[in-house]
Amino acid sequence: MYTIVTLASHSSLQILKGAKDEGFRTLAISLAKNSPFYKRFPFIDEIISVTDYKQFYTLSESLRKLNPIVVPHGSFVAYLGSDGDNRIRLPYFGSKKILEIEADRNRQLSWLADAGIKLPKIFADPADVDRKVIIKTHGARGGSGYFLAKGKADLQKKVSKLGLSADGYIIQEYITGIPVYLQYFYSPLDKSIELMGIDRRYESDVDGIGRIPLSLQKDMKNNVTYTVIGNFPIVLRESLLPKVYAMGQAIVDKSVDLSPPLGLYGPFCLETIVTPDQEFFAIEISCRIVAGTNLYISGSPYTDLLYDVPMSTGRRIALEIKRGIQKNNLNLLLT
Ligand code: AMP
Ligand code: AMP
C-alpha cells in the first residue's frame, strides 16, 4: 500500500481526496495551527503537525516506512524555497528537471517559443519600448512586484523612481485581452494529453479597480496589484479547443528535448491572454498542479467528456500512479 503525501495547503484537499478515491492511504503535513481544519476531512488518514513546512525534510526517514509518494503543488516552492523540490529525497511525482527550467524565466520562455507558442514581445532595451508594457521584477511571484507603463517615457520615470537596476526586471509587451488559464494533464503511460479544465484568476486589486468610478481610480497613487484571491471557471468556444490541445501537445513534445527521455508529464497549466482575434499569448507555464483546478474537484466539463467518474486533477494524478503500479512502470513517474 502506497501513501500519497503532500503539504496541507494550496490544492492538498483535492490531491488527497483524489488519492483516497483511487484507493491510496493519505497523509498531510500541516502547520500546527491549521491541523484542526484539515482534521475535518475524513479522506485524510494521517496529519503530521509541524511549526514550519521545512520540518518536512526531517521527517523523511519516518515517512519512508509508509511507502510514500510525494505530490508537489504551488506551496512547495512558496514555502520550501526555490531549491525545495530538489532537496526532497522521497519518491516524488513529476520531473524536477522541468521544474528547474520553469523556475528560470528566460529558459521557460524560450521553451514555449520553440514550441511555437505566441509570446508577448520582450524588450531587452528600454529605449526600444513603443507600446504599453508590463514590468516584471526578478523574484516577483503571483504578480506582486509587477507594474505597467504606458510607453518609454513612463517606463523610465517609474524605473528610476523605484531605483531598479537594469538587470533586475524584464519588460514585456502588455497584451490587452482576457486571461485564460489552461489546465492540462499529460500521461506518459498513455502518451496522451488531456484538457482538465480552464479558469481565470480573481485578483485583488486589479479585478476591483473597475468597481470604483474613474475619477477615484485616477487618484489612486499605488500601482495595481495582482494578488490572487480565488478563481472563476471558464468554458471556451468549442472551435478554440483543437488549438488548445495542439498547444499542450507542442509544449510536451518540445520538453523532451529539454529533459530526455520523458520531458514534462503530469499536470501543468499554460497561462494565456486571449486577444479579440482569438490568438493565445502565453505569459507563463506552471509545471505542477495549479490551484485553479480546485474548481473542478467533482470534475469539469472537459473531464466529463473523457471520464465516467468525477475526475479532478488530483484524482488524475492518483490514477496515473495507480496505472503505473499496475503496469509495473511506477519508476517512470517518480523522481
Ligand atoms: P497558499 O498555500 O495559499 O499560501 O499558496 C501557495 C502558493 O500558491 C502562493 O505562491 C500562491 O500565490 C499560490 N496560489 C495559491 N492559491 C492560488 C490560486 N487560487 N491561484 C493561483 N495561485 C495560487
Ligand atoms: P502572473 O503572475 O505571471 O500569472 O501574472 C499576474 C497577472 O499579470 C495576471 O493577471 C496576468 O494576466 C497579468 N499579466 C502578466 N503578464 C502579462 C502580459 N504580458 N500582458 C497582459 N497581462 C499580463
Side-chain angles (χ1 to χ4, degrees):
M1 169 80 107
Y2 287 88
T3 305
I4 301 296
V5 176
T6 197
L7 300 181
S9 177
H10 189 273
S11 46
S12 65
L13 290 171
Q14 181 196 154
I15 291 168
L16 298 172
K17 170 78 167 64
K20 184 48 80 183
D21 288 341
E22 292 300 329
F24 290 95
R25 232 182 88 80
T26 57
L27 186 148
I29 298 175
S30 171
L31 291 180
K33 63 176 177 145
N34 293 336
S35 295
F37 167 72
Y38 283 96
K39 285 203 176 107
R40 294 172 184 276
F41 301 98
F43 53 81
I44 308 180
D45 294 317
E46 190 180 343
I47 296 174
I48 297 182
S49 296
V50 293
T51 46
D52 180 329
Y53 286 120
K54 290 198 168 109
Q55 283 171 260
F56 179 33
Y57 298 115
T58 64
L59 300 171
S60 286
E61 283 322 304
S62 55
L63 290 179
R64 212 175 277 284
K65 290 184 213 111
L66 299 172
N67 228 356
I69 296 174
V70 176
V71 174
H73 53 61
S75 286
F76 279 56
V77 68
Y79 303 126
L80 299 178
S82 55
D83 194 37
D85 296 281
N86 272 330
R87 290 176 53 208
I88 295 172
R89 297 277 173 255
L90 298 171
Y92 175 103
F93 180 82
S95 165
K96 291 181 185 170
K97 180 84 201 307
I98 290 289
L99 289 173
E100 257 172 49
I101 294 165
E102 180 212 289
D104 178 331
R105 198 171 265 152
N106 293 330
R107 289 174 78 196
Q108 180 190 126
L109 293 178
S110 64
W111 165 23
L112 296 175
D114 289 348
I117 308 295
K118 285 200 166 65
L119 298 171
K121 185 174 161 59
I122 304 251
F123 293 93
D125 184 349
D128 296 337
V129 169
D130 58 357
R131 62 193 83 179
K132 283 194 298 306
V133 286
I134 182 165
I135 294 84
K136 303 184 174 182
T137 49
H138 292 321
R141 286 202 70 90
S144 68
Y146 289 5
F147 60 93
L148 305 185
K150 272 185 280 197
K152 185 161 48 181
D154 190 31
L155 170 70
Q156 279 159 349
K157 196 172 79 192
K158 286 176 173 160
V159 164
S160 72
K161 198 169 150 205
L162 290 167
L164 295 177
S165 68
D167 58 358
Y169 57 92
I170 64 161
I171 307 164
Q172 218 179 46
E173 168 187 18
Y174 185 84
I175 306 289
T176 306
I178 55 155
V180 170
Y181 289 57
L182 304 165
Q183 306 159 5
Y184 297 95
F185 187 94
Y186 178 70
S187 163
L189 298 176
D190 298 343
K191 301 206 175 5
S192 76
I193 193 132
E194 295 164 26
L195 178 64
M196 302 302 291
I198 310 175
D199 75 293
R200 59 159 289 199
R201 293 182 183 175
Y202 200 23
E203 292 162 326
S204 193
D205 53 1
V206 67
D207 290 317
I209 295 278
R211 296 166 62 91
I212 57 176
L214 181 61
S215 58
L216 292 185
Q217 289 181 28
K218 279 187 168 152
D219 292 340
M220 288 180 61
K221 295 222 166 48
N222 293 334
N223 248 300
V224 63
T225 54
Y226 297 88
T227 306
V228 62
I229 301 298
N231 305 77
F232 291 112
I234 298 182
V235 284
L236 282 183
R237 288 169 70 157
E238 189 165 312
S239 55
L240 290 172
L241 294 180
K243 199 186 232 173
V244 167
Y245 266 82
M247 288 193 298
Q249 188 67 54
I251 290 169
V252 168
D253 290 347
K254 233 347 125 186
S255 74
V256 176
D257 301 342
L258 301 174
S259 169
L262 211 50
L264 169 66
Y265 63 91
F268 67 101
C269 177
L270 189 66
E271 304 175 3
T272 69
I273 307 285
V274 188
T275 59
D277 46 5
Q278 303 179 48
E279 295 289 359
F280 290 81
F281 283 83
I283 50 171
E284 200 170 312
I285 184 169
S286 297
C287 301
R288 57 179 112 206
I289 186 169
V290 292
T293 60
N294 287 337
L295 283 165
Y296 305 119
I297 292 183
S298 53
S300 79
Y302 300 109
T303 60
D304 285 350
L305 298 170
L306 300 171
Y307 295 93
D308 292 326
V309 292
M311 188 56 66
S312 69
T313 295
R315 184 168 180 179
R316 184 67 188 80
I317 294 170
L319 180 63
E320 192 74 2
I321 293 172
K322 193 162 101 179
R323 289 183 179 162
I325 295 166
Q326 286 162 352
K327 293 183 175 181
N328 252 334
N329 236 343
L330 181 61
N331 281 343
L332 185 75
L333 306 174
L334 304 179
T335 48

